[in-house]
Each structure stands twice: as C-alpha cells, then as structure tokens.
Amino acid sequence: MRVLQGITGAVVVLGIFSSVLRTLVIPRPTRSGFTQIVHGLVRRPFQLVADRLPEAESKDRVLAPVAPLAIVVTLMGWLACFMVGYALLEAAVSRLPFQDAMVESGSSLFTLGFASGSRVTLNVIDFCAAATGPVVIGLQIGYLPTLYAAYQRRETEVTLLQSRAGSPPWGPEILARYAQVELLHSLTELFRNWERWSAEVSESHTTYPVLIHFRSPKANRNWLIALLAVMDAAALRLAFNPSHPKAEVRLALRAGFVCLRDIADLRGIPYDRDPHPDDPIELTYEDFLHGVARMADQGYPMERTPEEAWPHFRGWRINYEQLAYWLARDIDAVPAPWSGPRRTTVAVRTPVTPVDRRPVG
C-alpha cells in the first residue's frame, strides 16, 4: 500500500510540474492536458448560460470572465494537486495517516510551518513542498504581465481597424472605406501591419493558448473577426485588381492563414493543408455580390467583373475559411458578415456596419 502511495504521489507531482513548465516556462507551443481540462471545466457552465442568451452583447458579458478565471483556477488546481501528491509521498515514507500527511503537506507547501515536526524521514519532502508553493505562485505572477502585454498588442491593432472596417469588421467594408476617403494607396501599409500582427498572434496564442479565449474590451470587436476581415479584403484586392502591387497583399494573406493553421495545429483541429482552388466554399456567390455592391457604392475601382473575380477570390478564401469559421464558432465571436454561423445563431448576411457620409459642398 505504501509503495502504491509513493508511486502515485511521484506521478502526480511530476505530472503537475510538467504542466507548470509547459504552461509558464517553455517558450514554444506545448499542450498541457491538465490545463486543457481545467479550462474546459471552467468554461462549460458559462457557455451553457451564453448559449441561452439571444443577444451578442449578453453572450459577451457572460463569456468575458472565463479566460481570466481559468488562469486563477489553474493555479489553484496545481497547488491542490501538489498538496495531494506530496501528501501521498509523505504517507508512503512514514506511518502517518493520509489525513495527517495532507496537513503536513499543506503546511510545507504554503510555508506555514504549523505542522512541522522532528520526523527526519519527511524533511526532504517538506523542503521540496516548501519550495514548490512559492516557485509556482511566483511563476504565475511573472506570467501575467507577459500574457497581458501580448493581449494589449493584439487589441491595439483590432481597435485601430474599427474606423477602417466598421464594427464588427467586414472585408468589403475595408476596401469601401479606403475608396471613400481616397486612401487606396495606403492599403499597402495596412496589409504590412497585419502581416506582422498575424506573426505576433501566431507566436503568442500558441505559446499561451488561453489568449485565444480572451475577449476584446468591446462586445462588437474580436481578434479573429478582425483578422478574417483583413484577409477577405486582401483576397478581394487580389481578385479585382491584378495590376496593382501584390507583394504586401499576398504576404498579409498568407501570414493570416498560417496564423490560423498554427492555432489549429495546437488545438488538434484537422484541415486540408493543400486545398484545390476550385474546391467549394461556404460563402455563397449571392453574399459575395452583396459585399461587392458595398464596394462599388463607395467608388472602389474594379478591373474585373464580379463573375471574373469570383473564382480568384474563392481560390484564396479556400485556404482559411474552414478554420476561421470553426474558431469563430468555438470562441463564440461576435456575429459578422462572411464569418459563418455561431453556436446558437445563424450566419449574418446583412452588413451591420454604419455608413459614413462625406460632407456635402
């Protein structure tokens, strides 16, 4: 029995140490089963409530605390598991009942010292437990500034996009607004910025997966919908304007769907790595024409007709549509045109962006 307790305790302690290292220390995409389970359990009751609410704003208010709460619960789960693991080890190397071993373990883990005794056989385990508690808490405290710095960098660009793409953002709206204010020459800068943004999000959201579920400060903003809008704008630009510079547009588009694929690889989402340009997409030609009409209303110049541009646009969108729709449903992103259905709502076809008007005279 004591041998079994010792083996179980060692497995628990080493397994939780592995989870801590994978989550807080190792600077590369790694999956921790423990944190995934905790985050899923924390999110489930909030998601059940959100699924029963009709308004996107109400859903956002319910889901906003999930990711920060999951971080706190994960820390508490780590400490609780360490306490149980060290208690099993102490019960194995001494004749303490498990209840007394839990008191000894908790006293050492949280450096309280009230249960310390003269048992020489427990000194090493007590010292390890006493070091574990502060180290794990210190790592978590040091982890938070890095996490929130990545979140703030992500949201800065999303917020800047609001005046350029509407709220929530929409790909055709980006081109329409740039045409409206006669700034189409500045699109290169926009795509260059979002190429870098995609690279940063790919790195931060695979290293710290909890960021995927961090929601924007405003209910009508979302990092994934913003990225999808920029990618759609890039695909439309390539489809309708083949004579214009393509380098920055194509790089931004590729960086965007590479970002989505990196996140999908981390989460174990299957997808076609080499889709054929003629494969079907979920966006209908009717919805495509609706977006093109918005661009035409604001004077966006088009070198191809919609019929000629549609195959080119579809050939680009096939690279990212499936993953974008899956992730938008998974995180319950704000409903927006061309972004697919959500968990409890159908796809949005009518643009919800306001119409800016130029001064007359």
Side-chain angles (χ1 to χ4, degrees), residues 68-340:
L69 180 61
I71 295 174
V72 176
V73 174
T74 299
L75 175 61
M76 296 170 62
W78 283 334
L79 295 175
C81 288
F82 275 127
M83 186 174 173
V84 172
Y86 281 122
L88 288 169
L89 288 173
E90 291 180 335
V93 301
S94 68
R95 297 188 179 277
L96 283 176
F98 181 71
Q99 183 176 356
D100 293 340
M102 284 286 289
V103 175
E104 181 86 19
S105 171
S107 172
S108 300
L109 184 67
F110 297 104
T111 65
L112 299 175
F114 66 84
S116 59
S118 59
R119 304 177 187 87
V120 177
T121 56
L122 297 182
N123 284 349
V124 173
I125 299 176
D126 284 339
F127 289 156
C128 290
T132 298
V135 167
V136 172
I137 295 173
L139 287 174
Q140 183 77 305
I141 293 174
Y143 160 81
L144 291 178
T146 302
L147 192 73
Y148 280 94
Y151 170 76
Q152 289 174 350
R153 289 195 301 271
R154 184 191 80 182
E155 291 302 315
T156 297
E157 205 67 38
V158 173
T159 303
L160 286 173
L161 190 67
Q162 182 173 358
S163 63
R164 310 172 188 213
S167 183
W170 183 37
E173 188 73 17
I174 295 177
L175 300 184
R177 292 196 178 196
Y178 270 78
Q180 184 184 50
V181 295
E182 301 177 355
L183 286 176
L184 289 174
H185 62 279
S186 299
L187 280 171
T188 298
E189 180 183 0
L190 173 74
F191 292 128
R192 187 182 297 118
N193 291 340
W194 275 83
E195 179 195 359
R196 180 173 294 277
W197 181 95
S198 297
E200 291 181 353
V201 168
S202 176
E203 187 277 330
S204 61
H205 286 50
T206 53
T207 304
Y208 309 113
V210 71
L211 281 171
I212 298 171
H213 293 280
F214 265 75
R215 305 183 76 84
S216 297
K218 299 287 186 180
N220 54 5
R221 299 179 198 159
N222 180 269
W223 67 271
L224 177 62
I225 301 303
L227 175 59
L228 178 59
V230 172
M231 294 170 71
D232 280 337
L236 288 167
R237 182 74 169 171
L238 292 170
F240 278 101
N241 305 98
S243 67
H244 287 68
K246 302 176 183 178
E248 287 81 3
V249 186
R250 296 184 64 156
L251 288 173
L253 189 55
R254 181 164 183 81
F257 68 73
V258 167
C259 171
L260 295 182
R261 291 183 177 189
D262 287 344
I263 294 173
D265 290 337
L266 178 73
R267 296 170 67 86
I269 304 170
Y271 60 90
D272 187 354
R273 294 182 178 275
D274 188 22
H276 194 276
D278 293 332
D279 288 346
I281 61 175
E282 293 188 38
L283 183 72
T284 65
Y285 182 62
E286 179 185 1
D287 290 337
F288 172 75
L289 291 179
H290 197 66
V292 172
R294 170 63 179 155
M295 295 159 53
D297 287 343
Q298 300 302 317
Y300 182 81
M302 303 178 189
E303 299 172 14
R304 289 177 174 145
T305 65
E307 293 81 6
E308 294 170 336
W310 169 247
H312 298 275
F313 174 77
R314 185 183 62 196
W316 285 110
R317 203 172 206 261
I318 192 66
N319 290 288
Y320 58 87
E321 183 189 73
Q322 177 189 4
L323 289 178
Y325 282 16
W326 195 98
L327 287 170
R329 184 183 183 279
D330 181 55
I331 66 177
D332 227 336
V334 55
W338 293 20
S339 65

Side-chain angles (χ1 to χ4, degrees), residues 14-35:
L14 293 177
I16 298 304
F17 262 123
S18 174
S19 177
V20 173
L21 291 174
R22 289 170 180 269
T23 305
L24 303 181
V25 179
I26 300 176
R28 62 181 301 175
T30 53
R31 300 178 67 181
S32 169
F34 180 84
T35 55

